[in-house]
DNA sequence: CTTGACCTTCCAGTAACTGGAAACACTAGC
DNA sequence: GCTAGTGTTTCCAGTTACTGGAAGGTCAAG
């Protein structure tokens, strides 16, 4: 499979697949005589794996770790769980920050009349 | 005031203040004979304004808009409100995405025994 | 007069791509 | 066999909002 079909199969843009190859995350296992990257089933599965992990918000480096655990048949589930749990804690942290932000900003927007006059509690608060 | 004191007063790293000057967000109103940036009260107020707006998650470009509204004595509060409301909607959107992510991932972490065995629902789900 | 803190500019790197240019490869139709 | 169109290659640059570091100039204190 050429890169275009592989990308389609994995649900990724071609550019991204090439990028993943460049950074050594998922390399094409082979090249055609003309130099075209050729992807097999296993490589496409890895690409799809990375796409899903990225959808879950895992960073590229986390994906690299997960991928090596994924490929290592003797890995323990504890390792994977640790990565996921850390990531989950980060998400919860971000959620808290976002909630605080939201409440403050919502207050300001509510307090702002939003008319033609220059009185604006939002600017007052910022300035 | 030199850049160090201005940065301290505004609660920003020196590098960031210099960066804001470079991109024309908040320029130093003057330079010393030796070429040192000199900040006055007004400039420091603008720097602090930007810091707070950034804390609220406004992008640099949004800060630029807010700043020009902030400086424009004839501006209407509606303009400011519109920017803030748009930003609020983005925050809410991100909150929803994060919540969905959180629930899915929390499920997986919960389902994973996290022991020495290779059975791992997290990897199963990703792979 | 020297030391140390502060300032300057410029260059490079971060995360994770994305866009574009120039050139080569492949396929279909005529 | 030729041509058009699409797919592929590499490389370079840009994105966001800084951050780190190097090389060198400035200033105040002792």
């Amino acid at each position: 499979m050429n890169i275009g079909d592989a990308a389609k199969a994995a649900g990724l843009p071609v550019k991204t697949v090439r990028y993943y190859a460049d950074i050594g995350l998922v390399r094409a296992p082979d090249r055609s005589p003309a130099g075209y990257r050729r992807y097999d089933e296993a490589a496409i599965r890895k690409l799809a794996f990375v796409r899903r992990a990225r959808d879950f918000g895992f960073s590229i480096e986390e994906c690299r770790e997960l991928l090596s655990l994924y490929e290592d048949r003797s890995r323990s589930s504890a390792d994977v769980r640790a990565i996921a749990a850390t990531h989950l804690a980060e998400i919860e942290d971000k959620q808290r920050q976002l909630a605080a932000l939201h409440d403050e900003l919502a207050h300001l927007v509510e307090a702002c009349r939003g008319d033609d006059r220059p009185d604006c509690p939002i600017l007052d608060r910022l300035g």
Side-chain angles (χ1 to χ4, degrees), chain A:
Chain A
M1 255 184 175
N2 283 345
I3 197 169
D5 297 325
K8 202 167 292 170
L12 286 168
V14 170
K15 276 270 185 188
T16 301
V17 175
R18 217 173 268 128
Y19 172 70
Y20 287 167
D22 284 350
I23 63 173
L25 183 61
V26 181
R27 290 236 168 74
D30 192 26
R31 295 272 185 145
S32 79
Y36 285 20
R37 290 175 182 82
R38 279 197 297 220
Y39 289 87
D40 59 9
E41 285 298 312
I44 289 166
R45 237 177 298 124
K46 281 186 223 170
L47 286 172
F49 177 96
V50 170
R51 184 180 63 74
R52 278 190 290 271
R54 293 283 302 130
D55 284 347
F56 271 95
F58 289 98
S59 72
I60 293 284
E61 287 316 305
E62 283 170 331
C63 286
R64 218 185 280 273
E65 283 188 81
L66 288 172
L67 207 50
S68 76
L69 292 170
Y70 178 59
E71 291 191 89
D72 178 7
R73 318 205 130 251
S74 70
R75 91 273 158 156
S76 68
S77 70
D79 296 337
V80 180
R81 193 187 142 108
I83 295 176
T86 299
H87 185 55
L88 189 57
E90 285 166 9
I91 288 175
E92 284 168 1
D93 208 61
K94 194 172 273 179
Q95 276 187 313
R96 272 188 293 274
Q97 283 177 26
L98 223 48
L101 206 65
H102 177 272
D103 290 353
E104 266 192 280
L105 199 54
H107 257 126
L108 291 183
V109 170
E110 225 168 293
C112 179
R113 195 166 26 214
D115 57 14
D116 291 340
R117 299 174 51 197
D119 312 324
C120 179
I122 301 173
L123 287 184
D124 291 347
R125 178 61 199 286
L126 291 175

